[in-house]
């Protein structure tokens, strides 16, 4: 997941409004920021704790509290809020580091990624620079928990975009409420209640909308500003309520904060990718962060987990930590696809180094400078020759570090030129080509070009499902007269990907092949869950349409193929092997009884994604995967189910692997366009093998 420390003002600024005595520095908030960024980084890089992504919710609350406190403080002091000053401060605080990381990531991506992946990263950088990347990721259907495809190195900018969009509206709304209260003679506590009422409406409205959006558009809901506004609103409510919170008895304040820390710790281990987000998934972490902040209003006690020097320093550099860690993780992972332990070590070390350098040399000096100020409000610190030399040397070292990481990626030329694949005629010939691919050390010319894999889509409407169950699907009905030799292909996107193979094997022999597949909707007798909610809702109707067509048409041949590891409706969990077997067996016995012959075509073994592992730095051995035990277990179940009379199982692992080792290309042809979908070029290459496998089926 991508989340992170959102940019907020210095905690000492806000706490002065909230009545904290002394210097007013909120060390507890700085420590809370440190906890949040650390768990986010650990979850991204190490996958632990599972709920580490709730750190973004903590930062939304912190941001809402501090920014609103700053605005209220200015209004109390001057009777107005200067939007120009507010946005100048935001630009000075946010833009330098955000732009630095964007530029460095863009340069490194251009030297590492191929074709479409680089172009996609460039677009991500543009949208992130405009603080609209959350809508970019929502519009392209990004799954926040995506693990089976290329991940944008800039995906983490979504949370920064949400925050800045909120602050385009919230200061204006706050000023309008305060101005109206003063105009109506309701200043003081009355204006406080009016502001609280407006904020309460924003929070409630956002939660209600988030509940709807989670149910109807879960992928969009995660990135949606409207579904996230309530989290910033809770922090803002805390700022408005500081006069009340300051009355909390001193002995009770530590209890508030310890209770908040405990709740945050619980959320780290109880929230997971299966939890609906942002509601109700973020509620515990938001309430917990609010308790920590509320407990520190009006006076602080020493809370070692939050107020020690280490925690405060990590809180200071949290923005830099957040911005650097995710690009480094993705870029290093792409450069070292086989570095299971090396990637986390390099990511954590590189993040720490770059964050310390960029904080002291870029972020903090610019934040404290008078850049963008219309006039000097204070006497600038005297810059000695030594100081200037030290900063120049530090910036040079920072740029050199990034340049070395980026330019080292030019070692291998891009395998962009398409080759003419050599057709195969037997399994022995294919095995020889696989062994050759396993032994080569340099990239040959490949087809389809690796840089264009992102553009590969199903053709002729394949995988679109059947109308009327799927409004935008295909008209699957077979018009009269019915073909003498009719074959239909059913299943999800795996079945759709096999269509070029089935057509190449059957159509030259006079068969008519009809596509009845629906990507994301496996042909199983069970309710399944797709990452795309529209598919989940349309899937049962599509299956019923296919069942009706098979019963009516009585095709001579049905080819079925589904992806393994399906999620069933029950809690959205992956189906067990027993559940998979039962759903498959029921589909065969009850849904396909009218078919003449049934062939189950095993899905390709899941492997490395060529869009991720084929880079300018990688070599063919970096993209070799192994046949997993899960794939083998599902394969055994498939053979058992389809061994009944009238059905056959065609194993395909030997079409991709030798001795359980599977290359990313065979005979110059890329075998998969992602982790488990065969390319059309490789599918057609395998046609002679399918023809051979169908001989006993069609002769029976």
């Amino acid at each position: 997941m991508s989340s992170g420390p959102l940019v907020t003002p210095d905690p000492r600024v806000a706490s002065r409004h909230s009545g904290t005595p002394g210097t007013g520095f909120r060390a507890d908030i700085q420590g809370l920021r440190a906890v949040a960024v650390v768990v986010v980084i650990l979850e991204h890089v190490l996958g632990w704790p599972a709920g580490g992504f709730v750190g973004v919710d903590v930062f939304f609350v912190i941001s809402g509290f501090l920014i609103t406190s700053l605005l209220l403080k200015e209004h109390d002091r001057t009777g107005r809020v200067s939007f120009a000053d507010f946005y100048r401060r935001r630009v000075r605080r946010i833009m330098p580091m955000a732009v630095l990381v964007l530029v460095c990531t863009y340069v490194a991506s251009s030297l590492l990624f191929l074709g479409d992946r680089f172009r996609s990263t460039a677009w991500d950088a543009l949208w992130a620079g405009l603080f609209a990347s959350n809508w970019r990721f929502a519009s392209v259907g990004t799954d926040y928990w995506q693990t089976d495809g290329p991940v944008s190195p800039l995906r983490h900018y979504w949370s920064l975009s949400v925050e800045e969009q909120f602050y385009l509206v919230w200061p204006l709304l706050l000023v309008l409420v305060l101005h109206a209260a003063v105009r109506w003679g309701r200043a003081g506590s009355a204006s406080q209640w009016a502001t609280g009422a407006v904020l309460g409406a924003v929070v409630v409205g956002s939660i209600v909308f988030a509940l709807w959006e989670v149910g109807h558009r879960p992928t969009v809901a995660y990135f949606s500003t409207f579904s996230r506004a309530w989290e910033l609103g809770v922090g803002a409510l805390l700022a408005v309520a500081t006069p009340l919170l300051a009355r909390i008895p001193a002995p009770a304040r530590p209890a508030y904060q310890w209770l908040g820390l405990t709740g945050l710790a619980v959320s780290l281990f109880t929230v997971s990718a299966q939890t609906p987000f942002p509601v109700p998934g973020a509620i515990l972490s938001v309430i917990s962060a609010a308790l920590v902040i509320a407990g520190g209003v009006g006076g602080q006690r020493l809370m070692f987990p939050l107020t020690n020097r280490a925690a405060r320093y990590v809180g200071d550099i949290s923005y830099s930590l957040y911005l650097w860690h995710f690009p480094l993780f993705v870029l290093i992972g792409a450069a070292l696809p086989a570095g299971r332990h090396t990637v986390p070590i390099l990511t954590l070390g590189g993040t720490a180094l770059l964050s310390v350098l960029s904080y002291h040399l870029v972020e903090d000096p610019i934040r404290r400078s008078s850049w963008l100020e219309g006039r000097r409000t204070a006497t600038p610190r005297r810059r000695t020759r030594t100081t200037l030399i030290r900063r120049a040397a530090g910036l040079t070292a920072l740029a050199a570090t990034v340049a070395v990481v980026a330019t080292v990626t030019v070692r291998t030329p891009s395998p962009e030129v398409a080759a003419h694949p050599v057709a195969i005629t037997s399994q022995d010939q294919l095995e020889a080509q696989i062994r050759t691919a396993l032994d080569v050390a340099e990239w040959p010319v490949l087809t389809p070009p690796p840089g264009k894999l992102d553009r590969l889509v199903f053709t002729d409407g394949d995988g679109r499902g059947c109308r009327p169950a799927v409004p935008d699907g295909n008209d699957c009905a077979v018009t009269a007269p019915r073909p003498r030799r009719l074959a239909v292909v059913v299943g999800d996107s795996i079945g759709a990907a096999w269509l070029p193979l089935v057509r190449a094997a059957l159509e030259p022999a006079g068969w008519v092949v009809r596509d009845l597949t629906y990507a994301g909707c496996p042909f199983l007798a069970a309710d399944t869950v797709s990452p795309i909610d529209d598919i989940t809702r349309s899937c049962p109707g599509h299956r019923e349409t296919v069942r009706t067509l098979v019963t009516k048409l009585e095709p001579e041949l049905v080819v079925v193929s589904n992806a393994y590891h399906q999620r069933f409706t029950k809690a959205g969990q992956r189906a067990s092997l027993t559940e998979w077997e039962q759903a498959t067996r029921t589909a065969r016995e009850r849904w396909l009884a009218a078919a003449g012959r049934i062939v189950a075509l095993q899905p390709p073994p899941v492997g490395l994604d060529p869009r991720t592992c084929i880079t300018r730095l990688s070599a063919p051995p970096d993209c070799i995967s192994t046949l997993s035990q899960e794939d083998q277990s599902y394969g055994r179940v498939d053979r058992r189910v389809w061994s009944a009379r009238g059905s056959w199982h065609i194993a395909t692992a030997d079409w991709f692997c030798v001795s359980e080792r599977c290359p990313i290309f065979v005979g110059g042809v890329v075998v998969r366009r992602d982790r488990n979908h065969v390319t059309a070029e490789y599918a057609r290459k395998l046609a002679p093998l399918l023809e051979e496998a169908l001989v006993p089926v069609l002769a029976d």
Side-chain angles (χ1 to χ4, degrees), residues 42-346:
L42 290 178
E43 192 272 331
H44 283 162
V45 178
L46 304 179
W48 181 92
F53 57 87
V54 301
V56 73
D57 309 297
V58 174
F59 277 104
F60 279 139
V61 178
I62 294 174
S63 179
F65 173 73
L66 294 179
I67 292 292
T68 304
S69 296
L70 184 148
L71 294 171
L72 291 173
K73 175 178 178 289
E74 181 180 358
H75 191 271
D76 289 347
R77 187 182 70 252
T78 66
R80 61 186 293 273
V81 170
S82 171
F83 293 116
D85 288 345
F86 174 77
Y87 290 115
R88 273 199 293 265
R89 288 192 298 267
R90 296 300 292 170
V91 170
R92 193 165 58 234
R93 180 74 174 94
I94 295 167
M95 289 300 294
M97 275 303 304
V99 171
L100 174 64
V101 175
L102 285 175
V103 170
C104 291
T105 303
Y106 173 85
V107 172
S109 298
S110 70
L111 298 173
L112 177 63
F113 296 147
L114 303 174
D116 287 338
R117 190 173 186 195
F118 165 64
R119 284 186 285 272
S120 178
T121 302
W123 278 107
D124 293 341
L126 176 61
W127 282 88
L130 297 173
F131 298 111
S133 61
N134 61 319
W135 297 115
R136 151 90 172 160
F137 295 128
S139 66
V140 299
T142 300
D143 182 357
Y144 194 76
W145 290 272
Q146 179 182 2
T147 58
D148 61 349
V151 176
S152 170
L154 298 173
R155 192 179 65 186
H156 62 320
Y157 270 73
W158 76 269
S159 55
L160 189 60
S161 298
V162 168
E163 184 187 57
E164 296 316 305
Q165 290 163 28
F166 181 82
Y167 291 129
L168 282 176
V169 177
W170 172 234
L172 177 61
L173 181 60
L174 177 63
V175 169
L176 289 176
V177 173
L178 293 174
H179 178 72
V182 171
R183 187 172 182 180
W184 294 338
R186 302 288 184 178
S189 60
S191 66
Q192 177 185 353
W193 283 105
T195 305
V198 171
L199 267 175
V202 170
V203 169
V204 172
S206 176
I207 290 176
V208 171
F209 181 79
L211 285 169
W212 175 86
E213 197 162 38
V214 164
H216 292 80
R217 303 185 300 178
T219 300
V220 175
Y222 194 93
F223 297 105
S224 171
T225 305
F226 305 108
S227 292
R228 291 285 187 170
W230 67 275
E231 301 179 45
L232 291 130
V234 167
L237 275 173
L238 289 173
V240 174
T242 50
L244 297 176
L245 297 176
R247 301 175 189 174
I248 297 174
R253 290 175 188 147
Y256 275 70
Q257 296 196 304
W258 281 110
L259 181 61
L261 280 181
T262 302
L264 181 57
V266 170
S267 69
L268 296 177
F269 298 98
T270 57
V271 173
S272 69
Q274 283 73 48
T275 307
F277 238 81
V279 288
I283 290 178
L284 178 58
S285 55
V286 167
I287 292 176
S288 299
L291 286 171
V292 173
I293 294 172
V297 172
Q300 297 182 71
R301 295 282 192 272
L302 180 65
M303 286 195 66
F304 183 77
L306 299 181
T307 56
N308 64 82
R309 283 191 174 184
R312 287 170 57 177
Y313 183 73
V314 173
D316 288 343
I317 66 172
S318 59
Y319 183 45
S320 291
L321 285 169
Y322 172 61
L323 288 180
W324 283 117
H325 86 279
F326 202 69
L328 284 177
F329 181 56
V330 174
L331 293 168
I332 293 173
L336 302 172
R340 180 174 301 178
H341 302 295
T342 306
V343 171
I345 294 172
L346 291 178

Side-chain angles (χ1 to χ4, degrees), residues 560-610:
V560 56
S561 190
N562 298 305
Y564 296 151
H565 317 297
Q566 296 290 342
R567 294 188 184 277
F568 285 4
T569 296
K570 183 177 64 177
Q573 299 293 331
R574 280 189 173 179
S576 66
L577 280 174
T578 301
E579 291 172 322
W580 166 273
E581 180 173 2
Q582 181 58 48
T584 305
R585 191 179 302 278
T586 301
R588 177 183 64 79
E589 294 175 350
R590 299 182 184 177
W591 295 0
L592 300 176
R597 298 170 178 83
I598 308 168
V599 169
L601 197 56
Q602 185 181 15
V606 176
L608 296 174
D609 191 329

Side-chain angles (χ1 to χ4, degrees), residues 10-16 18 20 23-32 65-66 242 257 291-300 306-307 312:
D10 192 319
R12 81 168 40 86
V13 174
S15 58
R16 286 172 183 164
S18 57
T20 304
T23 65
F25 179 68
R26 289 291 301 265
D28 55 339
I29 290 182
Q30 204 71 336
L32 184 62
F65 173 73
L66 294 179
T242 50
Q257 296 196 304
L291 286 171
V292 173
I293 294 172
V297 172
Q300 297 182 71
L306 299 181
T307 56
R312 287 170 57 177

Side-chain angles (χ1 to χ4, degrees), residues 473-498:
N474 297 316
D475 182 3
C476 299
V478 176
T479 57
R482 178 189 175 281
R484 186 177 64 86
R485 307 184 78 183
L486 175 64
V488 300
V489 180
V490 302
D492 54 15
S493 59
I494 297 297
W498 280 128

Side-chain angles (χ1 to χ4, degrees), residues 339-627:
R340 180 174 301 178
H341 302 295
T342 306
V343 171
I345 294 172
L346 291 178
T347 299
L348 295 175
T351 298
L353 174 62
L354 289 176
S355 298
V356 170
L357 288 174
S358 58
Y359 173 75
H360 290 289
L361 300 173
V362 178
E363 179 186 349
D364 194 49
I366 293 178
R367 179 175 64 88
R368 294 176 180 273
S369 73
S370 59
W371 179 50
L372 296 180
E373 293 291 344
R375 61 184 182 277
R376 295 186 180 274
T377 56
T379 302
R381 290 181 296 179
R382 183 169 176 267
R383 297 181 180 180
T384 64
R385 181 184 299 272
T386 303
T387 301
L388 292 174
I389 293 174
R390 186 184 301 118
R391 289 186 180 176
L395 287 171
T396 301
L398 177 62
T401 301
V402 176
V404 168
V405 173
T407 56
V408 73
T409 62
V410 299
R411 187 193 72 182
T412 304
S414 167
E416 286 284 330
V417 182
H420 295 289
V422 178
I424 61 154
T425 57
S426 67
Q427 179 64 44
D428 290 341
Q429 184 183 13
L430 178 63
E431 182 177 328
Q433 292 186 13
I434 294 175
R435 291 187 183 278
T436 299
L438 290 170
D439 292 336
V440 299
E442 299 292 335
W443 291 110
V445 289
L446 298 172
T447 186
K452 298 182 179 179
L453 289 173
D454 273 337
R455 302 183 193 180
L456 299 184
V457 295
F458 296 134
T459 58
D460 302 323
D462 293 345
R464 290 180 57 185
C466 297
R467 294 196 299 266
V470 184
D472 296 329
N474 297 316
D475 182 3
C476 299
V478 176
T479 57
R482 178 189 175 281
R484 186 177 64 86
R485 307 184 78 183
L486 175 64
V488 300
V489 180
V490 302
D492 54 15
S493 59
I494 297 297
W498 280 128
L499 278 164
L501 166 66
V502 178
R503 288 170 176 149
L506 293 179
E507 287 179 344
W511 287 82
V512 173
V513 178
R514 297 305 305 268
D515 167 33
L516 302 183
T517 63
Y518 186 20
C521 177
F523 196 69
L524 297 171
D527 290 331
T528 55
V529 177
S530 166
I532 301 175
D533 192 60
D534 286 345
I535 295 177
T536 301
R537 291 197 297 267
S538 299
C539 191
H542 166 78
R543 292 192 186 111
E544 183 61 32
T545 300
V546 173
R547 291 172 58 186
T548 301
L549 285 170
V550 170
T551 302
K552 177 182 178 181
L553 298 174
E554 298 181 350
E556 282 80 5
L557 178 65
V558 173
V559 179
V560 56
S561 190
N562 298 305
Y564 296 151
H565 317 297
Q566 296 290 342
R567 294 188 184 277
F568 285 4
T569 296
K570 183 177 64 177
Q573 299 293 331
R574 280 189 173 179
S576 66
L577 280 174
T578 301
E579 291 172 322
W580 166 273
E581 180 173 2
Q582 181 58 48
T584 305
R585 191 179 302 278
T586 301
R588 177 183 64 79
E589 294 175 350
R590 299 182 184 177
W591 295 0
L592 300 176
R597 298 170 178 83
I598 308 168
V599 169
L601 197 56
Q602 185 181 15
V606 176
L608 296 174
D609 191 329
R611 299 170 298 175
T612 299
C613 74
I614 300 179
T615 68
R616 300 182 194 276
L617 181 63
S618 66
D622 297 325
C623 295
I624 294 174
S625 55
T626 57
L627 189 61

